[in-house]
Amino acid sequence: MTVYNPQVTYRVQLHKGFTLRQLDEVVPYLQSLGIKTVYASPIFEAVPGSMHGYDQVDPLRISPEIGTEDELRSLILKLQESGIGWIQDIVPNHMAFHSANPWLVDVLEKGTQSPYAHLFDITWTSDLHKGRLMVPFLGSTLQEVCERGELTLVYTHERLQLQYFDNARPVNTRTYETVLDQLQGDVPLGLRSLMQQLDELHSIADSVQYALRWHEFLLQWRSAYAADAEHLIDECISKINTHPQLLLDIAETQAYRLCHWRETDSHINYRRFFTINGLICLNMQSEQVFEWYHAKIFEFVKEGLFNSTLSQQFY
């Protein structure tokens, strides 16, 4: 294998304020400087507004804030024609603990029944956390947050979530059951059908089957909400939000444990990047996780877009 030897390297920090198109415009300037290698910051989708890209949420998609795959290919080919190579900085150790991370959101929703639970380095057997993923982003204890009305149940992005200021976390099937339990009087046929489906969901152990049935349930829930049950469901949610103890009970039944961020000073049940709670590490020692996570990188290397070097720094 021929190893690329980077010379006269120029570091490029890509973000919404400096995109692939803008980098394309300064190629003549790089040529005039005698640059032979562009060393690019992470390019895959990160937390919205990220200025550095190390808080990734999707390693298989170019960040829409910096551009598209076509723009990347066009830019790199233009650089190569100018005798300029491309070294790509990557983030293989961790992802953002953020609601924009679809795999983590699925884990928060389904716990160990999520098909993505194996991706993240989580100690599910921790006695302290009782098999729930720690979510240390509250400004005080969960009970205090509920008593002050800072935690609410909301229906947003077509699913129920627990909202704490600008952070929202998905809820499990038991919460949908709790919402429907607030119904009074004659219950529409569509909602009665949803209740029955919830009973069936609770008995499914296989993670793949559970994910499929859960997806079907959400589709029907959204359909019922949009058709004629919106006001009934909203009334149920409003009723729950007036009872701090009920909200506390709902929070305590999730596959995750909402808690004060300071708790991580003494204990934590997921591996993070140094002491940054907002970055959750991956089980990169797993060949399956490694292959999945690096699929797009391998694709670009095989295409000849990214140059291989003697050493790469892993973050």
Side-chain angles (χ1 to χ4, degrees):
M1 177 181 177
T2 303
V3 177
Y4 179 76
N5 182 23
Q7 297 177 346
V8 197
T9 303
Y10 192 96
R11 167 71 175 185
V12 173
Q13 191 72 42
L14 295 162
H15 48 75
K16 64 180 181 180
F18 187 70
T19 66
L20 293 171
R21 286 187 180 182
Q22 290 169 302
L23 176 56
D24 185 90
E25 293 172 358
V26 299
V27 170
Y29 172 69
L30 298 180
Q31 290 174 302
S32 70
L33 292 178
I35 300 302
K36 297 300 181 183
T37 303
V38 166
Y39 174 29
S41 63
I43 59 173
F44 296 106
E45 185 171 7
V47 168
S50 175
M51 298 299 286
H52 49 78
Y54 291 101
D55 45 2
Q56 284 185 178
V57 297
D58 190 342
L60 307 178
R61 181 185 185 216
I62 300 296
S63 170
E65 293 189 352
I66 69 167
T68 66
E69 279 193 32
D70 287 342
E71 289 173 341
L72 177 69
R73 288 188 175 91
S74 176
L75 169 61
I76 293 180
L77 290 175
K78 181 176 182 178
L79 288 168
Q80 289 175 343
E81 290 172 357
S82 303
I84 301 175
W86 184 284
I87 296 178
Q88 182 58 58
D89 195 352
I90 62 175
V91 193
N93 179 60
H94 57 262
M95 295 182 74
F97 201 130
H98 192 273
S99 58
N101 184 335
W103 295 280
L104 183 63
V105 166
D106 197 79
V107 172
L108 292 175
E109 188 176 65
K110 303 181 180 70
T112 55
Q113 282 187 287
S114 168
Y116 306 106
H118 70 289
L119 298 179
F120 303 98
D121 196 350
I122 302 168
T123 305
W124 291 104
T125 56
S126 169
D127 291 336
L128 180 63
H129 303 286
K130 300 178 181 179
R132 296 189 293 154
L133 172 59
M134 192 176 184
V135 181
F137 299 100
L138 301 182
S140 52
T141 68
L142 176 59
Q143 183 169 347
E144 291 170 338
V145 163
C146 290
E147 289 173 351
R148 289 200 293 264
E150 294 172 350
L151 185 71
T152 56
L153 184 66
V154 297
Y155 184 65
T156 180
H157 300 298
E158 298 188 313
R159 68 180 61 213
L160 290 174
Q161 301 195 73
L162 285 172
Q163 181 90 34
Y164 177 69
F165 292 103
D166 58 348
N167 292 313
R169 312 291 178 189
V171 295
N172 58 16
T173 57
R174 297 289 180 185
T175 306
Y176 286 79
E177 193 172 60
T178 300
V179 169
L180 295 178
D181 284 344
Q182 309 303 311
L183 291 169
Q184 296 179 348
D186 293 332
V187 179
L189 180 61
L191 295 183
R192 289 204 302 272
S193 174
L194 290 176
M195 289 176 170
Q196 182 179 351
Q197 290 182 56
L198 283 170
D199 287 337
E200 295 170 356
L201 264 169
H202 298 328
S203 64
I204 300 175
D206 180 77
S207 62
V208 175
Q209 287 300 315
Y210 183 81
L212 289 172
R213 291 294 301 277
W214 178 228
H215 179 66
E216 291 174 3
F217 171 82
L218 283 180
L219 289 176
Q220 293 187 45
W221 171 278
R222 294 164 188 167
S223 178
Y225 186 88
D228 57 4
E230 178 179 353
H231 69 288
L232 292 175
I233 293 174
D234 286 347
E235 286 176 5
C236 293
I237 293 172
S238 296
K239 188 184 300 184
I240 289 172
N241 285 331
T242 62
H243 292 82
Q245 184 58 51
L246 185 51
L247 274 171
L248 178 61
D249 292 342
I250 288 173
E252 293 286 16
T253 61
Q254 302 306 315
Y256 53 89
R257 189 174 75 84
L258 295 169
C259 60
H260 195 300
W261 65 270
R262 286 189 180 277
E263 283 196 32
T264 58
D265 291 342
S266 58
H267 55 265
I268 190 170
N269 71 336
Y270 66 91
R271 186 165 59 89
R272 55 187 172 167
F273 180 71
F274 288 96
T275 57
I276 303 175
N277 291 345
L279 296 175
I280 182 169
C281 291
L282 301 155
N283 282 319
M284 202 51 71
Q285 73 280 3
S286 164
E287 185 175 350
Q288 181 184 15
V289 175
F290 184 89
E291 293 291 336
W292 163 80
Y293 190 86
H294 292 87
K296 185 58 70 171
I297 295 170
F298 292 154
E299 177 186 322
F300 289 154
V301 170
K302 188 175 181 179
E303 270 188 62
L305 298 180
F306 296 167
N307 293 107
S308 299
T309 62
L310 276 172
S311 63
Q312 286 184 321
Q313 183 176 6
F314 284 175
Y315 290 84

